[in-house]
Amino acid sequence: MVDHAADAFGETGTGSDLIEAGRRLFAAECRFVYAAQRLDQLPTPVGPEVAFAGRSNVGKSSLLNALTGRRALARVSAEPGRTRQLNFFDLGGRLILVDMPGYGYARAGRAVKQDWQGLMFDYLRGRPELRRVMLLLDARIEVKQADRAVMELLDRAAVTFQLMLTKIDGIKAGDLADKQAETRALARAHAAAHPHVLITSSETSEGIAELRAALAELAEA
Ligand code: GTP
Ligand code: MG
């Protein structure tokens, strides 16, 4: 069996200290603090923020639940377009996690879409407290034009983003290795991208400890 957890940290490796720091961070209580529907409703920043972005249905809300070990902290749905606001969660007063609405959902009405996707882009471009955008890509499917557009936007805005492959329970080990190599190349092609690609499954919890470790590096001490 391939050790995906070791793979996830590739060349850099994750020490057990960081894994422990991640475990401790996520042992704290995580509570919902705010949902913003418009830019002028954004909560006053209280500390570092990390946003989870990606196409509709990629698994952003599921990942938040897996990270925090709460089944229904963030609302999940098989139907794309579930999350329509920016949802802010406070993790032990050390890090704000932001569940974002998905982009690239073709069937949403144009007005609605402009509304919530416009909000997403405005937030990504203009939030000084935003430490990193975790940009989720479904390991089972191709990178789409909408993903490329967001990566370009983040490059232009100089907002650091980290690519993550989700739903790795749905892909064979060999295909996953190819996909990881491809995704690392994609990261290298973007100025604002973190070189390290994370892999996760919210179903099996694979890669979740490593993701917690990566987030612990961004949290308030
Ligand atoms: P929007 O809010 O619409 O943008 O979607 P989202 O990115 O928040 O996705 P959500 O977490 O709601 O999950 C979408 C669907 O994918 C649900 O049916 C989840 O059960 C499923 N899903 C999420 N994570 C995983 C995973 O790791 N593996 C598998 N197999 N399915 C997953
Ligand atoms: Mg969602």
Side-chain angles (χ1 to χ4, degrees):
M1 204 188 126
V2 176
D3 184 353
H4 293 311
D7 270 356
F9 276 83
E11 52 279 9
T12 51
T14 299
S16 53
D17 287 0
L18 257 184
I19 292 284
E20 173 57 18
R23 191 197 62 73
R24 258 188 283 117
L25 174 64
F26 279 88
E29 199 203 342
C30 187
R31 58 182 189 88
F32 169 78
V33 278
Y34 204 83
Q37 214 140 16
R38 299 199 319 261
L39 205 59
D40 59 14
Q41 297 176 333
L42 284 182
T44 310
V46 291
E49 296 178 358
V50 172
F52 293 82
R55 293 177 69 235
S56 283
N57 218 245
V58 71
K60 301 174 290 296
S61 300
S62 304
L63 191 64
L64 270 172
N65 292 338
L67 275 171
T68 56
R70 299 259 303 270
R71 234 175 340 136
L73 185 68
R75 246 185 264 165
V76 168
S77 168
E79 192 188 310
R82 170 72 261 181
T83 310
R84 297 184 177 193
Q85 302 164 319
L86 292 177
N87 291 304
F88 292 77
F89 299 90
D90 182 341
L91 181 59
R94 295 180 54 200
L95 189 64
I96 304 291
L97 306 174
V98 187
D99 187 16
M100 305 199 80
Y103 52 77
Y105 173 40
R107 278 193 311 169
R110 183 186 290 253
V112 186
K113 213 162 102 178
Q114 272 177 357
D115 222 42
W116 93 65
Q117 305 205 339
L119 171 68
M120 183 191 82
F121 291 126
D122 287 343
Y123 168 82
L124 289 180
R125 267 193 301 251
R127 187 83 166 169
E129 292 71 26
L130 184 57
R131 286 287 187 280
R132 189 175 295 175
V133 176
M134 308 308 290
L135 187 52
L136 280 57
L137 301 169
D138 189 325
R140 308 166 309 175
I141 61 177
E142 292 299 302
V143 174
K144 298 289 202 285
Q145 187 46 44
D147 299 312
R148 296 186 192 281
V150 170
M151 289 187 261
E152 279 160 25
L153 175 136
L154 294 170
D155 275 346
R156 278 198 304 273
V159 174
T160 304
F161 64 95
Q162 183 160 18
L163 297 176
M164 293 192 39
L165 294 171
T166 63
K167 308 193 185 183
I168 61 163
D169 54 283
I171 184 170
K172 289 197 222 91
D175 294 340
L176 178 59
D178 292 346
K179 190 79 188 177
Q180 279 179 273
E182 198 182 290
T183 311
R184 282 192 205 108
L186 190 61
R188 281 195 296 275
H190 287 275
H194 192 283
H196 186 158
V197 172
L198 290 163
I199 58 172
T200 56
S201 165
S202 300
E203 291 280 319
T204 66
S205 291
E206 209 167 335
I208 296 296
E210 289 76 12
L211 174 57
R212 287 180 182 146
L215 296 173
E217 289 197 285
L218 305 171
E220 211 93 73

